[in-house]
């Protein structure tokens, strides 16, 4: 989807639920440059690839079985990754003339039967369905659109037989008031759409991996980096300072390091990257 559509958040939640379910997994977050490209353009596409399995795996995979394209730019940027015969789920609401133009299309690919004939295409009006699900809550259509990533998460959770209860608990602890209710409504609407629409042959089941007993930690590279910085400070007997501008992926490192003040870590949210670099130089 577009940068700002919440694709990293959606992928992270699907991954966490799969880890709790017991699957082995590997992920590949792919986000654009921090100097954000114009909305709706191919250079601004943010994606998250996750490989789940019932056995030991070491790679996020070369060719996904399923691609969820939230807009024309996402389709153009990542369609080549999808395996032949793979499932292509498209947010059909996003394929208006202006969206197509920004993505560099001179035609509408979902109206050309030959262009996508190598894939199993399912068109889902995610934006309007999200707006319909949140309208009874009094959410404005523009605000409701921000929850469409949770609609997609609910749909894919149904498709892969993921329980949504852990995601519901996470949403209730992460968001407040109207945003929380909107995201919950969108998640459940996506799940129910998969269950009732009869657009899919069947849901898939990926059983838990047969992993040896023990204590496991679900960790990302950002968290690993933060823990490494804490450990380095402890080994060197020096305080750690991070000046940071919050944007993916830097936000996660800032969030994690801010939890470890008891290890002599100090964090400061800067107004831009240059200010953050100046603060780090000053602290040193």
């Amino acid at each position: 989807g577009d940068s700002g559509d919440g694709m990293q958040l959606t992928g992270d939640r699907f991954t966490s639920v799969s880890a709790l379910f017991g699957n082995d997994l590997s992920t590949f977050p792919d986000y654009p440059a921090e100097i954000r490209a114009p909305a709706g353009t191919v250079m601004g596409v943010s994606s998250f690839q996750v490989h789940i399995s019932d056995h030991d795996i070491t790679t996020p995979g070369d060719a996904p079985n399923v691609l969820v394209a939230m807009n024309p730019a996402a389709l153009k940027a990542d369609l080549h990754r999808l395996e032949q015969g793979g499932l292509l789920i498209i947010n059909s609401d996003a394929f208006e003339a202006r969206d197509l133009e920004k993505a560099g299309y001179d035609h509408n690919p979902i109206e050309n039967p030959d262009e996508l004939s190598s894939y199993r295409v399912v068109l889902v009006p995610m934006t309007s369905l999200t707006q319909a699900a949140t309208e009874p809550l009094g959410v404005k259509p523009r605000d409701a659109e921000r929850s469409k990533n949770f609609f997609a998460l609910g749909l894919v959770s149904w498709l892969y037989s993921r329980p949504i209860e852990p995601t519901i608990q996470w949403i209730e602890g992460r968001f407040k008031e109207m945003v929380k209710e909107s995201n919950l409504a969108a998640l459940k609407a996506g799940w129910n759409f998969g269950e009732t629409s009869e657009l899919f042959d069947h849901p898939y089941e990926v059983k838990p991996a047969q992993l040896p007993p023990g204590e496991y930690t679900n960790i990302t590279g950002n968290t690993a980096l933060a823990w490494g910085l804490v450990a380095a400070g402890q080994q060197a007997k020096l305080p750690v300072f991070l000046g940071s501008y919050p944007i993916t992926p830097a936000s996660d490192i800032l969030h994690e390091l801010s939890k470890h003040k008891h290890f002599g870590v100090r964090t400061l949210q800067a107004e831009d990257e240059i200010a953050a670099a100046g603060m780090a130089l000053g602290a040193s």
Side-chain angles (χ1 to χ4, degrees):
D2 199 24
S3 178
D5 274 348
M7 295 297 95
Q8 302 303 319
L9 180 65
T10 305
D12 180 75
R13 296 321 307 161
F14 186 88
T15 300
S16 295
V17 170
S18 297
L20 290 170
F21 185 73
N23 295 134
D24 198 26
L25 52 88
S26 181
T27 63
F28 184 74
D30 186 10
Y31 31 77
E34 291 190 0
I35 303 173
R36 184 176 294 183
T41 62
V42 173
M43 297 306 294
V45 170
S46 176
S47 58
F48 191 104
Q49 183 170 317
V50 56
H51 185 182
I52 59 175
S53 178
D54 62 0
H55 57 273
D56 189 35
I57 55 172
T58 57
T59 168
D62 295 324
N65 310 115
V66 178
L67 172 64
V68 180
M70 300 298 286
N71 60 18
L75 182 67
K76 175 170 278 192
D78 289 325
L79 182 60
H80 69 279
R81 302 178 189 269
L82 184 63
E83 68 175 7
Q84 294 293 299
L87 177 61
L88 176 58
I89 303 173
I90 295 176
N91 177 18
S92 55
D93 283 335
F95 281 69
E96 301 293 336
R98 188 164 177 266
D99 304 302
L100 294 164
E101 181 182 356
K102 288 190 290 185
Y105 279 109
D106 57 6
H107 64 287
N108 191 340
I110 65 177
E111 294 177 352
N112 185 344
D114 296 329
E115 188 162 349
L116 303 177
S117 60
S118 298
Y119 312 100
R120 293 176 290 138
V121 181
V122 177
L123 302 179
V124 182
M126 296 187 196
T127 304
S128 55
L129 287 172
T130 300
Q131 291 170 341
T134 57
E135 185 179 8
L137 302 173
V139 181
K140 297 179 180 178
R142 185 68 178 174
D143 294 332
E145 188 175 345
R146 297 177 182 175
S147 295
K148 66 181 182 292
N149 61 321
F150 282 100
F151 183 98
L153 178 58
L155 175 58
V156 177
S157 295
W158 174 85
L159 186 63
Y160 277 95
S161 305
R162 308 287 91 180
I164 61 171
E165 288 75 18
T167 303
I168 290 174
Q169 293 175 5
W170 181 86
I171 291 173
E172 290 176 339
R174 174 71 179 266
F175 301 102
K176 296 181 179 180
E177 299 173 353
M178 193 68 78
V179 176
K180 177 182 71 175
E181 298 304 325
S182 179
N183 288 340
L184 287 172
L187 177 75
K188 294 173 183 177
W191 173 277
N192 292 333
F193 180 85
E195 178 75 22
T196 60
S197 65
E198 299 184 356
L199 292 175
F200 303 90
D201 296 333
H202 55 79
Y204 299 90
E205 182 182 4
V206 181
K207 295 182 179 180
Q210 298 301 310
L211 301 172
E215 184 174 335
Y216 290 83
T217 298
N218 181 20
I219 190 169
T220 67
N222 293 332
T223 303
L225 174 59
W227 290 1
L229 290 168
V230 173
Q234 292 296 296
Q235 292 290 324
K237 294 181 172 54
L238 290 172
V240 174
F241 172 81
L242 173 71
S244 178
Y245 175 69
I247 192 169
T248 302
S251 301
D252 289 346
I253 301 169
L254 178 60
H255 291 162
E256 184 62 34
L257 280 178
S258 68
K259 301 175 184 177
H260 300 293
K261 295 181 176 64
H262 56 290
F263 284 121
V265 177
R266 296 293 178 268
T267 56
L268 199 151
Q269 178 179 320
E271 64 270 25
D272 56 39
E273 290 88 349
I274 295 175
M279 292 170 183
L281 287 170
S284 70

